[in-house]
Structure formats: C-alpha cells, structure tokens
C-alpha cells in the first residue's frame, strides 16, 4: 500500500510517498481502508516546525471501511463505515486506529462528509461550550474559513448568537463566510474589528491573540484552541474583567467521553437536517499531499482540504 511520511522537518517538499506492507490491527484496534483523510493546520505546522517524531508518521482524521478487527474489540465488524482519529500514519491507503477513537458514519453521509464534519465540528462545539455562551450574545471567530472555523461560525448562529463576526486573512473570503451565516466579516489587517464581542473563538493565536483579546467587551471570554501559541498581558485581562480559556479536544475525549458523544450526535443531526454544512475546499489524491499542505500553509482554503487514497 501507499503512505506518506516525512524524514526531515520543513515545508510541503519534505513529504514522501512510500510503498509498504499494510499494517495489522492489535488488541483494541481496527484496520481501516481509508476513503478520505483530513489535512489540518496543526499537522502542517508540526511538519515544518517540529513536534512530530522522525521518521515522521502523520496523524489526523480519517474515514473509510473496517477491513480487519483486532482482538478485544466489541461493537465493530468488517465492512462497517467509520470515521476515526488516527495517531500514526493517517496519510495512507490503510491505517490502524484505536477502536475507542472510531465512530460509525450514518447512512446518507459520505466519507468526505465525515472527515469534514466530525473532528472540526467537535472542536468547534467544544470551544463554543467552553465560552459558556448565553442566548443573544455576540461571537467572533478567527480562522473563520478554516476546517474548524467555518463550522464554528455556523454553530454559533445555530446556538443563538445574535451577532456572529467572521475574521479571516483576506476580504476575498467574505462571500463564503456570509453564506455560512456570518453577520459581519473583518480581516486581520483592519484597523477595527467592529463593535466589541462577548466571545472570541480563536483558531489562530500567535500575533493575532492580542487583537483578539482587544476585541472582547467587558466581561468577555476568549477560548483559545489554536496550536499557534501567543501571549496575553494580565493587565489586558484585568481591565474589563476579560478571561482566556484554553480548549483541547483530547482532554474532553479522555475525561468526558459522554459529553463528546453528545456533541457528535448533535453534529450529525444538524447535518441530516441541512442546518450544518461542512464545506470541502478541494479533494486531492494521496500522492498530492504536498499540494494539500501548500494550500493550508497559504491559508487559501475555504473549508476542509481532503486527501483521497
């Protein structure tokens, strides 16, 4: 089978396609024949900046069919359609995942739908919940056109936000963001991001963290779920009683699986009812993983970038 790895840190050019034997599932594991693979900014950043072991086995979200079931697995059978988080070698025609990280894909949804919806939707759901929203509050989403951000815009509106502001790197993304329900669109270079908001969901971090905090109204809450880092002045929080909270999906999965499952059910319900629309920017062959990383690095995507084995 084919898989994509990297053997030095760097840009998209370091990705290499290999021919290897298919893996075998161990205890508590499933072997999945991938039909869709999600490409995420955190993975792209780790390939360039470090943080993944070498030789580099790329992890991420996948969707496909179960082709083998390891010992000590209950609830799954060969032929089941699933989506899962794969921690090693997700960029491959087949991959091994922990059964605990896999969930069924309902009838009427494709593998691409699942990859575009589930992980990004769970992060968007969790980040929004971490902000403790009240009906009628205002929400600003940075990275609003990203795989997570475009779902966060829709979920904020769906959950009762009176005003949703979408922040993006380019005004060219405005039409797309307004089609998702954003009431206002701002770019990072704008002198003002408009009237202050009650909640900021920050997917970018880094140099944008400070202006994101500045966009908060008194008593406002920022939830940071980006791998971009950044620092916040304690004085900026003190003035106006603002707060910053970090959100990590892995912690919820480990400590509150029932809550994560309730978010997943909500996502599929909203999808089935046509009230949540995962957007796919492009589908590329597995061998073109480098091109997928280039799109993510350039911030050109409107929605999810997906690899098709």
């Amino acid at each position: 089978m084919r898989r994509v790895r990297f053997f030095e840190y760097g840009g998209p050019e370091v990705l290499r396609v290999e021919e290897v034997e298919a893996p075998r599932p161990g205890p508590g594991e499933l072997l999945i024949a991938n039909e869709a693979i999600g490409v995420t900014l955190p993975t792209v950043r780790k390939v360039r900046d470090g943080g993944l072991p070498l030789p580099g086995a790329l992890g991420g979200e996948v969707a496909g069919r179960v082709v083998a079931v390891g010992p000590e697995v209950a609830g799954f059978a060969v032929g089941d359609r699933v989506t899962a988080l794969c921690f090693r070698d997700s960029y491959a025609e087949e991959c091994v995942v922990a059964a605990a990280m896999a969930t069924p894909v309902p009838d009427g949804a494709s593998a691409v739908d699942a990859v575009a919806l589930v992980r990004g939707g769970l992060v968007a759901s969790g980040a929004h919940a971490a902000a403790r929203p009240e009906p009628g509050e205002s929400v600003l989403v940075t990275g609003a056109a990203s795989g997570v951000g475009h779902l966060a815009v829709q979920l904020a509106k769906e959950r009762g936000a009176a005003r949703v502001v979408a922040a993006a790197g380019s005004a060219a993304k405005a039409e797309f963001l307004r089609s998702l329900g954003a009431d206002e669109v701002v770019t990072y270079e704008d002198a003002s991001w408009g009237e202050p908001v009650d909640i900021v969901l920050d997917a970018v971090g880094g140099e944008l963290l400070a202006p994101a905090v500045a966009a908060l109204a008194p008593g406002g809450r920022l939830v940071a779920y980006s791998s971009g880092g950044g620092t916040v002045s304690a004085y900026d929080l003190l003035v106006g009683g603002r707060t910053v909270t970090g959100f990590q999906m892995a912690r919820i999965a480990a400590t509150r699986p029932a809550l994560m499952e309730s978010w997943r059910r909500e996502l599929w319900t909203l999808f089935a009812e046509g009230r949540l629309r995962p957007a796919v920017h492009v589908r590329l062959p597995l061998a073109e993983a480098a091109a997928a990383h280039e799109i993510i690095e350039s911030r050109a995507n409107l929605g999810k970038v997906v690899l098709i084995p």
Side-chain angles (χ1 to χ4, degrees):
M1 71 163 199
R2 294 177 304 159
R3 73 180 179 195
V4 176
R5 280 192 167 190
F6 72 106
F7 298 92
E8 59 182 316
Y9 295 122
E13 72 281 354
V14 304
L15 299 181
R16 298 286 182 267
V17 180
E18 301 179 319
E19 287 285 346
V20 297
E21 291 187 6
R24 296 181 180 179
E29 294 179 334
L30 305 172
L31 178 63
I32 298 175
N34 288 332
E35 297 173 5
I37 303 159
V39 180
T40 65
L41 179 59
T43 296
V44 172
R45 281 175 167 165
K46 287 175 181 177
V47 171
R48 179 173 287 281
D49 302 327
L52 290 173
L54 292 175
L58 299 157
E61 65 243 354
V62 299
R65 291 189 180 273
V66 176
V67 293
V69 178
E72 304 172 17
V73 172
F76 292 99
V78 171
D80 287 350
R81 300 173 64 239
V82 299
T83 184
L85 187 61
C86 175
F87 295 107
R88 183 178 179 83
D89 286 327
S90 65
Y91 286 27
E93 292 177 322
E94 295 183 358
C95 70
V96 169
V97 303
M101 293 289 103
T103 59
V105 175
D107 293 340
S110 70
V112 172
D113 291 330
V115 162
L117 176 71
V118 176
R119 178 190 170 278
L122 287 173
V123 173
S125 293
H128 191 255
R132 307 181 312 280
E134 297 288 342
E137 289 191 315
S138 53
V139 179
L140 184 147
V141 180
T142 67
S146 68
V148 175
H150 85 285
L151 297 172
V153 169
Q154 296 177 69
L155 286 170
K157 204 69 175 178
E158 180 68 32
R159 292 177 175 176
R163 171 174 159 251
V164 177
V165 182
S170 167
K173 298 180 178 181
E175 182 178 355
F176 170 72
L177 294 169
R178 290 189 184 279
S179 76
L180 302 176
D183 299 294
E184 302 170 26
V185 178
V186 299
T187 69
Y188 304 140
E189 292 78 17
D190 289 345
S192 169
W193 288 3
E195 292 296 317
V197 297
D198 301 297
I199 294 168
V200 171
L201 304 181
D202 181 37
V204 180
E207 295 180 354
L208 285 181
L209 186 57
V213 170
L216 289 171
R221 293 92 69 198
L222 182 147
V223 177
Y225 60 95
S226 161
S227 60
T231 58
V232 179
S233 164
Y235 182 78
D236 290 341
L237 301 181
L238 178 63
V239 176
R242 302 175 178 93
T243 60
V244 173
T245 301
F247 175 79
Q248 184 187 49
M249 195 67 233
R251 181 174 178 274
I252 298 296
T255 63
R256 304 186 67 185
L259 177 61
M260 185 177 73
E261 182 57 32
S262 72
W263 292 339
R264 184 183 288 110
R265 288 195 301 269
E266 179 193 27
L267 292 171
W268 281 123
T269 297
L270 293 173
F271 172 80
E273 295 174 352
R275 295 155 61 191
L276 184 62
R277 297 177 289 119
V280 176
H281 179 79
V282 68
R283 299 167 173 84
L284 293 172
L286 178 64
E288 295 183 22
H293 277 222
E294 288 175 359
I295 292 169
I296 296 292
E297 284 202 339
S298 68
R299 307 294 199 275
N301 56 302
L302 302 177
K304 195 70 178 175
V305 175
V306 179
L307 295 174
I308 306 296

